[in-house]
Amino acid sequence: MSDTMKRVYVETYGCQMNVADTELILGLLGRDGYLVTDTPADADVILVNTCAIRDNAEQRIYGRVGELKRHKRAGGVLGVVGCMAQRLGAGLLDRIPHVDLVVGPDGYRGLPELIRRAAGGERAVDVEFRSWEHYEDVPAVRTNRVSAFVTVQRGCNYRCTFCVVPMTRGAERSRNLTDVVREVEGLARGGVTEVTLLGQTVNSYHDGTHDFADLLRRVASVDGIRRLRFTSPHPNDFSHRVVDAMAEVREVCEHVHLPVQSGATRVLKRMLRRYSRESYLACVDRLRTAIPDLAVTTDIIVGFPGETEEDFLETESLVREVRFDDAFTFKYSVRDGTPAVKIKSHVPDDVAGERLERIIDTVRRIARSKNAGLVGTTHEVLVAKRARRGELLQSRTRTNKVVLIEGTLDLVGSYQHIRLTGTTGSTFTGVPAAVRRELAVIG
Ligand code: 5AD
């Protein structure tokens, strides 16, 4: 591999934190003289930033790495980084023969050197946990000029029995508030107006002096920041201080993604979620009382070991009671090394599959009826990009609903006042709020 014009291609799977980590990886490698390419065939270094949360995520990545290997050049490097790398370690080198580099989420600082070693034919593996690592000095390379992810906390100290994250991202630690604020100030100077704070249980953020309420207030006060979001919170960490900050700070958007996982207290206990059905519902109530028109979305797992039909019906009834705006629904996936592996009474796959279909149906029906009720209302949207299909632009309300509007690309990054004119059940069409005529063509 020549030292000049080295090119790196990175493909990212999984959560928003992985997206943010890829931006750090590109920053690190950029500092080392790399150029970024979006064509794997042009790359000297191909990295896949991976997810280990469920087996199907990993299977997909195995398939993709298998495809990418044909783009690997002589002397080039094919690396697996992120959570799957951390989980499987050096074993990945044997499992996928063309892979020559394996680096976990705390090892990115060493990437330039590890890549050099891998290119020289060595096995380059780093899956050490570094609980101090925040990549504080690394300038993230962001492609989105309007909206930015900012990681404020890494790792997780909860021990949900189904979850691999404590094994892949290590112990919870928070960045210093002043470092986060300095980064956001820089983003705002560059034109970013919307920031999403990231952490595994982001509202448990604490830097030793400041809690998440302080962080929300301080970040929101940065000049130029107009929208502040965060993901994902844990129900037990919504202190009164945090809820008050959400209610009082204008910039904090009216949307919370609050994973419930199950509506049955018996199951929640076995999941070690540390709340009951009732206390989850009470948390949603507190948030809705404090923040009118709050949109609430969630994550749900069906088929957790020991989940009975009755337990499942409790999850369905919780979905009906909360009336979520949307939900990500998953079939439980066994993760080696997690405590839930030891729980007997496995739910047969066909039963779990059938429950998944039922919960998806319930979630969709409620979302559709809620969204239909919003048609005719007016919202401020932030225009994000050209929509995937057609000539329309994609924008988002403060409640995180996707709205397609007409307009030219120069509107990207602007805030518009729009009226919702129609819905597919999940996304909307809209027109400028001042315009009275109906737009018949879209929808
Ligand atoms: N099986 C299925 N879903 C899982 N999640 C986490 N671990 C598992 C697992 N082992 C889901 C949870 C979490 C989301 C990110 O992924 O719902 O909130």
Side-chain angles (χ1 to χ4, degrees):
M1 190 166 61
S2 83
D3 265 355
T4 52
M5 307 287 282
K6 293 170 292 183
R7 284 172 200 274
V8 61
Y9 169 84
V10 188
E11 206 163 283
T12 309
Y13 292 84
C15 63
Q16 287 105 322
M17 194 171 288
N18 261 10
V19 174
D21 278 357
T22 290
E23 294 172 343
L24 288 173
I25 290 170
L26 293 178
L28 269 154
L29 294 179
R31 215 159 59 174
D32 200 51
Y34 281 84
L35 299 174
V36 182
T37 172
D38 50 16
T39 316
D42 291 345
D44 303 292
V45 177
I46 298 175
L47 299 177
V48 183
N49 191 359
T50 59
C51 173
I53 199 85
R54 285 171 293 277
D55 184 58
N56 57 8
E58 290 196 350
Q59 293 310 322
R60 215 173 123 219
I61 290 163
Y62 277 124
R64 186 57 187 148
V65 174
E67 280 170 30
L68 285 169
K69 72 174 184 234
R70 66 195 161 87
H71 297 301
K72 189 178 157 184
R73 306 181 167 181
V77 171
L78 175 58
V80 175
V81 304
C83 287
M84 201 174 155
Q86 186 69 41
R87 192 177 91 75
L88 298 166
L92 264 180
L93 296 175
D94 306 320
R95 255 157 115 160
I96 325 180
H98 291 80
V99 167
D100 27 38
L101 174 139
V102 175
V103 179
D106 285 350
Y108 299 148
R109 193 174 287 281
L111 269 174
E113 177 56 28
L114 288 163
I115 289 171
R116 274 189 280 277
R117 278 202 242 148
E122 282 179 54
R123 286 159 69 100
V125 180
D126 183 349
V127 289
E128 246 179 69
F129 285 123
R130 295 178 181 84
S131 60
W132 45 265
E133 184 61 277
H134 280 296
Y135 302 105
E136 213 52 81
D137 55 316
V138 179
V141 172
R142 294 177 162 98
T143 42
N144 192 324
R145 286 164 192 288
V146 180
S147 185
F149 291 133
V150 175
T151 300
V152 300
Q153 173 201 59
R154 301 180 75 87
C156 188
N157 278 357
Y158 279 88
R159 288 290 175 271
C160 304
T161 55
F162 52 79
C163 189
V164 78
V165 167
M167 300 166 62
T168 63
R169 286 188 171 273
E172 175 186 325
R173 67 276 191 181
S174 296
R175 291 174 68 189
N176 283 328
L177 178 138
T178 46
D179 293 328
V180 175
V181 170
R182 194 174 312 123
E183 180 174 4
V184 173
E185 284 169 347
L187 290 168
R189 276 195 299 275
V192 164
T193 61
E194 180 182 67
V195 162
T196 303
L197 306 178
L198 300 181
Q200 298 299 331
T201 56
V202 69
N203 52 339
S204 71
Y205 170 94
H206 206 292
D207 74 353
T209 313
H210 306 100
D211 68 358
F212 192 61
D214 296 323
L215 185 71
L216 286 176
R217 291 182 194 276
R218 208 39 208 91
V219 171
S221 74
V222 171
D223 251 6
I225 297 305
R226 196 154 155 180
R227 283 186 173 187
L228 183 53
R229 303 181 183 279
F230 56 86
T231 199
S232 290
H234 189 285
N236 289 9
D237 295 305
F238 272 122
S239 64
H240 286 287
R241 282 173 52 79
V242 170
V243 177
D244 286 351
M246 289 171 67
E248 288 164 23
V249 176
R250 246 217 98 250
E251 290 79 5
V252 176
C253 290
E254 294 77 21
H255 169 230
V256 61
H257 181 72
L258 190 59
V260 65
Q261 315 301 0
S262 168
T265 298
R266 274 165 19 99
V267 175
L268 291 169
K269 267 215 176 91
R270 282 200 301 271
M271 289 177 164
L272 203 64
R273 286 293 287 175
R274 305 166 202 249
Y275 54 82
S276 62
R277 172 193 180 91
E278 289 69 31
S279 59
Y280 181 90
L281 289 171
C283 178
V284 172
D285 267 355
R286 279 206 299 133
L287 289 165
R288 282 185 166 156
T289 305
I291 305 138
D293 297 323
L294 180 75
V296 183
T297 56
T298 199
D299 290 343
I300 294 168
I301 298 174
V302 298
F304 186 75
E307 183 190 71
T308 62
E309 173 66 13
E310 199 187 350
D311 294 331
F312 172 74
L313 291 175
E314 284 199 52
T315 300
E316 262 202 320
S317 86
L318 180 133
V319 168
R320 281 195 296 268
E321 202 167 325
V322 174
R323 290 178 64 77
F324 291 108
D325 289 84
D326 203 356
F328 295 111
T329 46
F330 309 106
K331 200 157 62 162
Y332 169 69
S333 170
V334 186
R335 307 280 64 209
D336 272 352
T338 59
V341 170
K342 299 201 194 84
I343 307 178
K344 303 277 179 295
S345 55
H346 164 82
V347 175
D349 194 59
D350 56 330
V351 174
E354 187 259 344
R355 287 179 190 164
L356 183 66
E357 278 177 31
R358 276 150 74 198
I359 202 75
I360 288 173
D361 189 61
T362 305
V363 165
R364 282 215 185 122
R365 241 176 322 111
I366 289 164
R368 206 177 299 139
S369 99
K370 275 192 101 159
N371 288 338
L374 289 172
V375 172
T377 58
T378 58
H379 297 260
E380 179 199 76
V381 295
L382 169 56
V383 183
K385 57 183 176 189
R386 167 143 331 281
R388 231 171 293 163
R389 275 179 300 169
E391 292 296 287
L392 301 172
L393 298 173
Q394 183 182 310
S395 69
R396 275 177 200 271
T397 64
R398 286 173 58 95
T399 50
N400 214 32
K401 309 267 182 188
V402 171
V403 186
L404 303 181
I405 59 172
E406 277 193 339
T408 46
L409 273 178
D410 56 288
L411 288 185
V412 169
S414 72
Y415 288 83
Q416 304 289 329
H417 200 56
I418 60 96
R419 185 165 46 85
L420 300 176
T421 50
T423 179
T424 61
S426 60
T427 63
F428 293 86
T429 48
V431 295
V435 176
R436 294 241 171 264
R437 79 193 152 86
E438 292 297 330
L439 210 61
V441 280
I442 56 179

